[in-house]
Amino acid sequence: MSLFRSEEKIAAIREACQIAATVLHKMKAAAVAGITTYDLDQLGRREMEALGAKSACFNYDPGSSINPFPAHTCISVNEEVVHGIGDIRRFLKEGDVLSLDVVVDYRGFIGDNALTIIIGDGKPEHIHLVDSTKIALEKAIRAARSGKRVGDVSHAVESFIKKQKLGIVRDFVGHGVGESMHEAPQIPNFGRARSGPRLQAGMTVAIEPMITLGSPKIEMLSDGWTAVTRDRKPAAHFEHTILITEDGAEILTIPNI
Ligand code: MF3
Ligand code: CO
């Protein structure tokens, strides 16, 4: 059986992913009411450094934004969907829906993961949003294995989220990842089963449902990066980097602590 990627590269990507997950979980543990999103980002920067990695986001320039990404991690609060920028004036407070997204570069290999939590007690509808987004990712991962297609993964997210009466953001997608941050194939969070590119053993891909409580329509803030819901209702985001294998998918972004 031939692998899409060599065992050596997969081993290096696995290390990058473990670091990304460890940093993400340290940030999660530090996310309490009263801390600023800037301090959380700085914690992420330090933890990456301590593990011999660096942010793949810092200074990232896709060419399509007004400026390169200025922070080390993405911190998106409430109506911010993704790519929020830590801010020294932004204090987390009880009830905030907080999404953290960490992408590390470890010796040229990339690991990418994200999660959403609620600070303190959340409203029931917000808990439903967060729990459903996590379940959508789990269902997507279960749909991924060698021989399946991208559309099978997309459809797993879409069919579940529709039943929950939540919105699916269409402007951002999951993606291949490993030797650069965004590789083929793109993995939308909606689509038809048995359609799209075929998954092959040895592929490493990031699956990342971005789900809204209200309308899934988004707009960009003037910072050129932060995507917010147009209706300003909250959004949630969960992401894992996984390895496609013959009999399933292995989650690579597992913390090493
Ligand atoms: N997980 C995000 C993504 O896949 C991280 C991007 S951060 C950026 O798009 F700032 F670098 F864009
Ligand atoms: Co990603």
Side-chain angles (χ1 to χ4, degrees), residues 133-134 136-137 140 157 161 189 207-211 236-239:
T133 308
K134 187 163 197 261
L137 174 57
V157 174
I161 290 299
N189 292 302
I207 303 179
E208 49 179 318
M210 287 149 272
I211 306 300
H237 178 206
F238 280 84
E239 176 175 28

Side-chain angles (χ1 to χ4, degrees), residues 21 23 32 87 92 131 144 149-150:
V23 173
V32 293
D87 183 340
L92 292 178
D131 289 350
R149 292 166 170 232
V150 165

Side-chain angles (χ1 to χ4, degrees), residues 4-206:
F4 180 85
R5 231 192 267 273
S6 71
E7 294 287 0
E8 290 74 20
K9 282 184 178 178
I10 291 169
I13 294 165
R14 179 179 275 109
E15 283 191 72
C17 285
Q18 281 176 0
I19 294 171
T22 304
V23 173
L24 180 64
H25 284 264
K26 297 242 171 167
M27 289 174 71
K28 176 185 174 183
V32 293
I35 191 176
T36 71
T37 56
Y38 174 83
D39 284 328
L40 215 44
D41 183 63
Q42 288 297 309
L43 175 95
R45 180 183 60 73
R46 286 195 305 273
E47 293 293 345
M48 285 184 237
E49 222 170 85
L51 295 168
K54 62 178 193 202
S55 167
C57 295
F58 182 65
N59 256 332
Y60 178 68
D61 189 356
S64 53
S65 189
I66 48 170
N67 47 291
F69 191 73
H72 299 270
T73 66
C74 301
I75 303 182
S76 311
V77 187
N78 297 332
E79 73 279 5
E80 298 172 358
V81 183
V82 286
H83 304 165
I85 299 165
D87 183 340
I88 194 107
R89 297 157 305 184
R90 178 95 193 226
F91 293 85
L92 292 178
K93 59 177 195 312
E94 179 99 1
D96 277 343
V97 178
L98 173 73
S99 297
L100 304 172
D101 189 345
V102 172
V103 195
V104 309
D105 177 326
Y106 178 68
R107 302 182 175 171
F109 294 91
I110 311 290
D112 186 359
N113 64 357
L115 57 76
T116 300
I117 57 170
I118 299 177
I119 304 299
D121 286 333
K123 292 185 185 167
E125 70 211 75
H126 294 176
I127 295 170
H128 179 243
L129 167 70
V130 172
D131 289 350
S132 299
T133 308
K134 187 163 197 261
I135 293 168
L137 174 57
E138 289 162 0
K139 288 187 181 282
I141 293 171
R142 259 181 263 134
R145 80 171 60 106
S146 184
K148 292 275 189 183
R149 292 166 170 232
V150 165
D152 295 313
V153 174
S154 305
H155 181 72
V157 174
E158 181 175 16
S159 57
F160 175 71
I161 290 299
K162 279 198 166 152
K163 277 188 252 161
Q164 307 306 315
K165 306 262 185 296
L166 296 166
I168 299 172
V169 174
R170 303 175 89 90
D171 309 72
F172 301 99
V173 295
H175 48 92
V177 63
E179 288 164 82
S180 58
M181 185 158 55
H182 295 135
E183 301 174 353
Q186 293 199 347
I187 307 181
N189 292 302
F190 55 93
R192 280 191 357 260
R194 292 178 290 284
S195 73
R198 227 172 254 289
L199 299 172
Q200 274 181 62
M203 281 182 163
T204 48
V205 298

